[in-house]
Amino acid sequence: MGSITGRVLSFSRKRYGPRREREAWVDFFGSVPPPYSESSLFKDVFIPWYLYSWSPKPVAMMYSERNRTSQEAIARALVEAASAARYSFHLVQEVRPGQAVLLKDEARGTLAWVLGQPGPRRLVPGEIIFSKVIEVFGLRFMFESGSTVIPENYLEEIRGEGRSPDSEDPELQRIRLYYKILGQILTQKEALPFK
């Protein structure tokens, strides 16, 4: 699944150069964006959002339309599922190591078993993952997750933000909340004394 994002990004950069990506960067951050950054801190959420969610017709859907060969059927299914999915906060309910994770989507209030888990560490119930969850051929996967697992003590803030009415795109609102929480987590880690 990871290679499809690389292929779609390569397609975008060949077709549009840096212009389209930079326009998405401005929308991603709002009125006064920071200088464009290639850091993994932003790329793990920004690039998938740009490729699969941004604009009326995401770049990934254009990639899919141009690659209609039978060999690309799985890639097309992944692109379509990722373009339909939106980033959300998912509360880990149950873990079956090496098999699946039961997640509650805090934006939609739905429960679903998801195959695999992001990163090398094992998730535990109560942790929160920021991810797109996609369904392909009847199977659900986490696709393009944020790099940091969020502790359960942020759950009320996540739920409160989800209830606040806002004219902004709900997915972008959740992304901004993820980065706000990420900033709080990183600040707390820096304040810890090292032994």
Side-chain angles (χ1 to χ4, degrees), residues 8-27 35-38 43 46-47 49-51 54 59:
V8 174
L9 182 58
S10 178
F11 165 82
S12 173
R13 288 177 174 170
K14 283 179 188 167
R15 181 168 178 151
Y16 301 107
R19 176 188 50 83
R20 186 177 172 100
E21 204 169 316
R22 305 247 191 255
E23 288 172 11
W25 184 257
V26 171
D27 284 352
Y36 186 77
S37 172
E38 295 277 333
K43 290 190 78 152
F46 168 72
I47 291 294
W49 173 81
Y50 158 61
L51 296 175
W54 186 68
V59 172

Side-chain angles (χ1 to χ4, degrees), residues 43-156:
K43 290 190 78 152
D44 66 349
V45 174
F46 168 72
I47 291 294
W49 173 81
Y50 158 61
L51 296 175
Y52 300 105
S53 297
W54 186 68
S55 86
K57 187 167 192 174
V59 172
M61 293 304 289
M62 290 182 261
Y63 169 86
S64 181
E65 289 170 2
R66 290 189 177 272
N67 293 288
R68 289 261 175 220
T69 64
S70 59
Q71 297 95 328
E72 288 289 320
I74 293 174
R76 250 191 346 272
L78 285 169
V79 162
E80 289 167 8
S83 295
R86 296 293 174 251
Y87 273 107
S88 191
F89 294 94
H90 301 274
L91 178 63
V92 177
Q93 302 286 305
E94 187 178 332
V95 178
R96 293 187 182 159
Q99 297 176 15
V101 180
L102 180 62
L103 298 176
K104 179 182 178 196
D105 183 330
E106 287 298 321
R108 295 174 39 210
T110 57
L111 285 172
W113 283 100
V114 177
L115 298 175
Q117 55 185 5
R121 70 182 290 281
R122 187 173 147 207
L123 296 173
V124 296
E127 292 181 319
I128 303 163
I129 300 296
F130 188 70
S131 181
K132 284 180 175 258
V133 171
I134 64 170
E135 185 171 334
V136 181
F137 306 123
L139 301 172
R140 287 185 190 91
F141 303 91
M142 280 182 261
F143 185 79
E144 303 297 354
S145 298
S147 59
T148 301
V149 174
I150 301 168
E152 190 173 19
N153 60 309
Y154 287 95
L155 191 55
E156 285 309 311

